[in-house]
């Protein structure tokens, strides 16, 4: 089962298929492993890699943009529609299009909204064109309801910069819980702040949580450190009282 106690799994990156295999084993199968569109010259190269990835590692691929880059959003759709992965990362305005293109009905598709510095308000103009226009800032609940209308599974709150936007994150978590949206806190999550970030979501009664932990657990060559994955899973199990 992907989710520990049907509640939490993590999302991490892998340098290559061998690193992904090691992460998969270290996490006990509780990690989605990101493959970023931005890392490939064309969507077809990403599709070829992901076919090999799925054959070796299994059904744990998370197709990502690459640092939330909106210019990659349509590449993500092309890749995901071929691969039918377990998880897809997407910018707010392109979620509905993505859901329509991905055949897999239970595919987890997240919807990227960003902090604003104003608790209770979030930025939804995260698309390839809208991100260059006057910023669209809306109440959290309105953004979440719109995400539901587009058939998003979860809200990706990015970039969090760790606990910099703690008050905003708390409100997002509370509102997600009210309407049954899952939550994916992302950006600046480390071994040091992971517990508090996860705890906020759990205490808010968010249905399912998928924290993204990236560069903080990578070595200088870009490999995700297996021992750190084990530590994160241990913290998660402790919070869930497994």
């Amino acid at each position: 089962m992907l989710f520990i106690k049907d509640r939490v799994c993590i999302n991490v990156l892998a340098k290559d298929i061998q690193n992904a295999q090691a992460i998969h084993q270290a996490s006990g199968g509780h990690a989605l492993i990101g493959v970023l569109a931005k890392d490939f010259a064309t969507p077809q190269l990403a599709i070829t890699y992901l076919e090999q990835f799925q054959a070796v590692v299994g059904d744990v691929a998370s197709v990502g943009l690459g640092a939330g880059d909106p210019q990659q959003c349509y590449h993500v759709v092309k890749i995901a529609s071929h691969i039918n992965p377990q998880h897809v990362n997407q910018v707010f305005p392109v979620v509905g299009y993505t859901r329509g293109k991905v055949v897999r009905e239970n595919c987890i598709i997240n919807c990227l909204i960003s902090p604003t510095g104003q608790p209770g308000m979030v930025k939804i103009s995260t698309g390839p064109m809208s991100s260059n226009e006057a910023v669209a800032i809306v109440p959290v609940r309105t953004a979440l309801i719109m995400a539901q209308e587009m058939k998003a599974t979860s809200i990706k709150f990015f970039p969090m910069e760790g606990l910099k936007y703690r008050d905003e994150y708390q409100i997002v978590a509370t509102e997600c819980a009210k309407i049954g949206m899952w939550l994916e806190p992302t950006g600046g999550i480390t071994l040091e702040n992971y517990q508090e970030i996860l705890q906020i979501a759990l205490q808010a009664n968010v249905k399912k949580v998928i924290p993204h932990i990236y560069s903080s657990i990578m070595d200088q060559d870009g490999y995700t450190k297996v021992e750190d994955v084990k530590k994160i899973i241990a913290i998660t199990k402790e919070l869930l009282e497994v």
Side-chain angles (χ1 to χ4, degrees):
M1 186 185 287
L2 177 63
F3 287 87
I4 300 168
K5 267 189 128 173
D6 203 31
R7 196 87 193 277
V8 180
C9 76
I10 62 172
N11 193 307
V12 298
L13 298 174
K15 174 81 170 178
D16 53 27
I17 289 173
Q18 193 175 0
N19 191 206
Q21 254 189 312
I23 292 163
H24 184 57
Q25 288 169 353
S27 70
H30 299 304
L32 288 162
I33 300 170
V35 176
L36 308 177
K38 199 171 187 172
D39 289 344
F40 298 88
T42 66
Q44 187 53 53
L45 287 171
I47 289 164
T48 301
Y49 175 81
L50 274 160
E51 286 171 344
Q52 296 168 349
F53 177 104
Q54 288 180 322
V56 175
V57 187
D59 183 27
V60 291
S62 168
V63 178
L65 298 150
D69 182 359
Q71 302 307 320
Q72 299 296 325
C73 68
Y74 295 115
H75 286 175
V76 163
V77 176
K78 277 185 185 174
I79 296 162
S81 63
H82 275 81
I83 292 295
N84 283 310
Q86 179 144 202
H87 184 270
V88 177
N89 299 268
Q90 194 51 280
V91 291
F92 189 97
V94 189
V95 167
Y97 177 62
T98 307
R99 179 62 77 189
K101 284 286 190 180
V102 176
V103 174
R104 182 175 181 167
E105 284 188 17
N106 68 343
C107 178
I108 302 162
I109 300 177
N110 70 30
C111 180
L112 195 160
I113 63 174
S114 299
T116 59
Q118 305 171 55
M121 306 294 285
V122 291
K123 175 184 168 187
I124 61 170
S125 48
T126 55
M129 293 180 283
S130 59
S131 58
N132 295 316
E133 301 295 329
V135 66
I137 293 175
V138 304
V140 171
R141 182 175 171 84
T142 304
L144 268 52
I145 295 295
M146 290 172 74
Q148 274 196 331
E149 289 173 331
M150 295 187 289
K151 302 298 180 186
T153 318
S154 62
I155 292 296
K156 182 175 185 176
F157 194 50
F158 171 87
M160 277 178 45
E161 297 181 52
L163 286 159
K164 180 178 177 180
Y165 301 100
R166 190 187 194 284
D167 292 348
E168 292 182 60
Y169 170 59
Q170 175 79 63
I171 293 167
V172 171
T174 301
E175 293 299 330
C176 279
K178 285 180 186 174
I179 64 169
M181 287 289 280
W182 303 2
L183 180 56
E184 305 189 27
T186 309
I189 301 181
T190 65
L191 283 169
E192 289 69 41
N193 64 25
Y194 174 75
Q195 181 166 338
E196 186 175 354
I197 287 168
L198 178 56
Q199 200 154 21
I200 288 167
L202 295 176
Q203 287 178 344
N205 289 317
V206 176
K207 189 175 180 181
K208 291 190 181 182
V209 191
I210 308 174
H212 292 233
I213 311 99
Y214 292 153
S215 57
S216 68
I217 59 167
M218 287 178 181
D219 66 19
Q220 59 189 14
D221 298 314
Y223 288 90
T224 290
K225 294 182 268 189
V226 169
E227 289 309 310
D228 285 355
V229 171
K230 289 178 182 175
K231 287 174 188 172
I232 286 163
I233 294 296
I235 293 166
T236 307
K237 286 183 173 179
E238 190 179 331
L239 285 179
L240 292 171
E241 299 177 350
V242 175

